[in-house]
Amino acid sequence: MSDKLRILITGFGPFPGAPYNPTQPLVARLLRLRRPALSDVELSGHIFHVTYSTVDRELPELIARHRPHALLMFGLADRTPHIRIETRARNAVTTLWSDADRTRARKGSIAGGADAIMFGPHTAKLLRAAVGTGVDARASRDAGSYLCNYLSWRAIEAANTGDGPRLAAFVHVPPLARGGASQRKDAAHRVTLEQLVDAGEAMLLELVRLTRQAERESSDADHCFVEWARRKRAFAHCGANVNSRGD
């Protein structure tokens, strides 16, 4: 496995009602980026078929294969004219809309327990990075109840395990025409593919920075623990020697 920082970038394919998903060209463009800040970063990409079984099967496989330090996921929000940085995943699954294989969920929740789980405070910094490119980007507390929310939940679960990615983030993008222009009637004021790429690049670079920081902090914590354990053993050994001498 490479010693480089590893980032997995994902998108989705088409699904019922959305024959063209702009996250596919967006992911492809981000994977082709050549920037000094990415010289020691290994980027990998994946496009999910829009089904629950695909996410359940392929996300663990991707994490095991690439061992990413961070996940940057994109999905289509076909009724939203701006970019949305999701701050949490809801414990909800729609039973009304089928996935790309025409399969419907049988229950309205993903798991027992919490109503929602959070991505973390890093989402605010990703939002600032996106807004800094001039695009209309906003924080969101509702990732919906379809595959984007489902992937978000599973990704947060993976990030909360000891051997999963350090950070995960999910970004919803608005619909685009195949040529890259917005499909909205007021297209002049909406997001284009080039703007998505600019915002995506800014968020990717910020995620790289934050992941490096998290890796350093984890390494420092590990070093402190090792040093504490060493001193504890030394102190115990010293105490044992004193006791063995008697009065």
Side-chain angles (χ1 to χ4, degrees), residues 1 7 9 17 40 56 67 116 121 127 132 134 143 157 159 167 190 195 200 221 227:
M1 183 62 66
I7 310 293
I9 308 172
D40 61 344
D56 284 338
R67 305 298 296 172
L127 175 60
E157 283 184 333
L167 300 175
R190 302 301 179 177
Q195 289 174 314
E227 180 64 17

Side-chain angles (χ1 to χ4, degrees), residues 150-174:
Y150 189 77
L151 176 60
S152 295
W153 184 281
R154 294 306 187 199
I156 295 172
E157 283 184 333
N160 287 339
T161 64
D163 57 353
R166 295 280 181 196
L167 300 175
F170 194 98
V171 179
H172 266 120
V173 304

Side-chain angles (χ1 to χ4, degrees), residues 4 54 67 69 80 245:
K4 292 183 176 181
T54 297
R67 305 298 296 172
H69 295 96
T80 304
R245 295 191 187 115

Side-chain angles (χ1 to χ4, degrees), residues 83-87 123 126-127 130 137-140 170-171 203:
I83 293 174
R84 286 168 28 197
I85 289 79
E86 301 299 338
T87 60
T123 57
L126 298 184
L127 175 60
R138 309 175 194 182
S140 168
F170 194 98
V171 179
M203 288 185 285

Side-chain angles (χ1 to χ4, degrees), residues 3 8 10 22 24 28 33 51 131 142 150 159 193 207 231-232 234 247:
D3 291 333
L8 174 61
T10 73
Q24 292 181 281
L33 287 174
T51 69
V131 170
D142 188 352
Y150 189 77
L193 177 58
L207 185 62
R231 293 186 179 186
K232 184 178 180 181
D247 294 332

Side-chain angles (χ1 to χ4, degrees), residues 45-167:
H46 185 74
I47 301 298
F48 287 103
H49 183 49
V50 187
T51 69
Y52 299 101
S53 61
T54 297
V55 170
D56 284 338
R57 181 180 67 255
E58 293 183 354
L59 180 61
E61 291 175 353
L62 289 165
I63 292 174
R65 183 190 317 149
H66 297 290
R67 305 298 296 172
H69 295 96
L71 299 175
L72 180 57
M73 303 164 287
F74 293 94
L76 172 63
D78 58 359
R79 292 185 176 88
T80 304
H82 54 267
I83 293 174
R84 286 168 28 197
I85 289 79
E86 301 299 338
T87 60
R88 64 178 193 163
R90 300 169 58 236
N91 191 6
V93 182
T94 180
T95 57
L96 299 177
W97 307 319
S98 60
D99 62 20
D101 286 348
R102 305 296 177 180
T103 300
R104 292 186 183 184
R106 295 182 178 181
K107 61 180 183 178
S109 61
I110 301 173
D115 292 334
I117 49 179
M118 306 298 292
F119 276 107
H122 59 281
T123 57
K125 295 180 181 180
L126 298 184
L127 175 60
R128 285 198 293 270
V131 170
T133 68
V135 75
D136 185 0
R138 309 175 194 182
S140 168
R141 287 175 50 83
D142 188 352
S145 57
Y146 197 46
L147 265 296
C148 292
N149 179 71
Y150 189 77
L151 176 60
S152 295
W153 184 281
R154 294 306 187 199
I156 295 172
E157 283 184 333
N160 287 339
T161 64
D163 57 353
R166 295 280 181 196
L167 300 175

